[in-house]
Amino acid sequence: MDMDKLVSLCKRRGFLFQSSEIYGGLNGFWDYGPLGVELKRNVKEAWWHDMVRGHDDLALLEGAPEPFEMTGLDCTIIMHPQVWKCSGHYDLFHDYMVDCRESKKRYRHDQVCGRWVEAKGQTVFIATQQGGEEGLAETQQRALKFFNFRGKDIDQLQWHGPLVSLTTVKDFSRVLGPEAKELGTLTEPREFNLMFKTYVGALSGEEGAAFLRPETAQGIFVNFKNVLDSTRVRVPFGIAQMGKSFRNEITPRNFTFRSREFEQMEIEFFCHPKSLPDWYKFWRDRRYQWYLNLGLEGERLRLRDHDREELSHYSCGTADIEYAFPFLPPGEFGELEGIAHRGDFDLRSHMEGKLVRQGDRLVVELDSEGKPRHRGSGKDLSYRDDLTDERFTPHVIEPSAGADRATLAFLCQAYTEDEAPDENGKMQSRVVMKFHPRIAPIKAAVFPLVKKDGMPEAAQKIYRDLKKCFNVFYDEKGAVGRRYRRQDEAGTPYCITVDGQTMQDQTVTVRDRDTLRQWRVKADDCTTEITRLIEVGCQTPTRGV
Ligand code: GAP
């Protein structure tokens, strides 16, 4: 699938716009348009329903080791700065960046790669931001230009190995930066904290400094005791939260995939350390299945276990759910969600102070004077099991998803080019967004065939009835074939048409977006029919894909 076509459809049909576009846009920030907001809202509502409200029946059917409870939270974006000191984000949540003195561009150190090449007695590293075939082609072009060669001189370039990461390069004086003409213009890598800083109240100095949350998870940990004390939940149980998170990404890119402002859907699931492996497996498999059920194709979706060195500072085990986004080179996958075992790192850090790993143990990090580097709250965040009288600090399994990344994956998956007959039965090419009916922005569109003979009035009545239950759309403008096409592009699974026959027998046609099948139902039964169709669609996971 051509990503440029999807990006242009998203703008043309109102799924996604660049933020502040009339002022030239702001890199890493995106607005959802009228169709996009419905799509993303449906994704979030499906998550909240399946993971929080509907979980009891669903989870046991889906193989939960034992019954459990789920509850939700909605915490603030700005929290006490100590939260981020104890969570480790203040000290550790950074990327390394390099600046180019010539182009004035800034890059993430680990996102630049390149190739060593030798010619005219000189060996240089030609850097690029592209991987795969595109990276190879770009380094070749730039090497020719750098050595002042023409295309026919290509054999004079001697390549030393494949594309490798800039992180493998020690001597930057021999590096040609991704957008530079001269060697040695990249600075040494520097740490760059990804948290956005702001100032609270009238205090403008460091006293008032605070951060926009880079993840929703910490709001859950610091409210763990509040939830225990205000509800009757017992371990094992989960707390869910969705909301905005902010990261000052050095190189936001790939449409909404890496943004600076985005939404997360996170669960912190608290359990006894002994039952961890079962719960870890349950959440891994359950979350993977959730994406399949909503229409992501098995071949483009995978579960990948992290290598040890990839694990976050707190994690003892993590799996990623990844999707083969079309903007990635063939064979590469991008992360949709991480399912991490966080142990008791977070609860203990907020009790005792920032923890660090010492061999197999987590211990409070001390400063040069032997005092805790970042003090915890001192509050008791342990749990007492009233049946066994055992007191312990629960361990945590965290399925952490991105609402925007999931929405982007559903957009990529839905984009289809095929053919459908026009009014005269002639096959015409069309673009159709084959969303799962549950997340489709508009569930049904209602058309009068022509704007006369009582058809608009009959169609408007159906529209108003349907509107009580679903997001529906009324359209009476233009040829009916054109109206179908517009709804295909919006991903509307069903179109209802009022025609001459409706005036005689009170039936209407229903058209299925994917199969193009048409059939008649009683006008008064439209709400029942659309409800039934959406339910059937929801039981058929990969429908329309
Ligand atoms: N609490 C754990 C945590 O935040 P993460 O892997 O950094 O883990 C979880 O983020 C999810 O949030 C990712 O899998 C991704 O879907 C989403 N996400 C993270 N950074 C993002 C960004 N810059 N833009 C869009 N989504 C992002």
Side-chain angles (χ1 to χ4, degrees), residues 25 65 79 160 166 206 234 411 460 516:
M79 300 168 73
H160 295 194
L166 181 65
E206 282 310 295
R234 307 187 66 250
L411 279 164
Q460 275 164 23
L516 301 172

Side-chain angles (χ1 to χ4, degrees), residues 98 107 109 111-117 124-130 135 138-140 142-143 159 163-166 169 174-180 183 186:
V98 291
Y107 308 99
H109 187 208
Q111 279 178 354
V112 178
C113 59
R115 254 183 120 184
W116 287 104
V117 62
V124 300
F125 185 84
I126 311 282
T128 169
Q129 285 192 281
Q130 316 246 39
E138 194 194 311
T139 43
Q140 198 170 70
R142 297 192 61 226
W159 295 98
L163 278 178
V164 290
S165 169
L166 181 65
V169 177
R174 292 195 290 152
V175 174
L176 182 69
E179 281 141 292
L183 286 183
L186 292 186

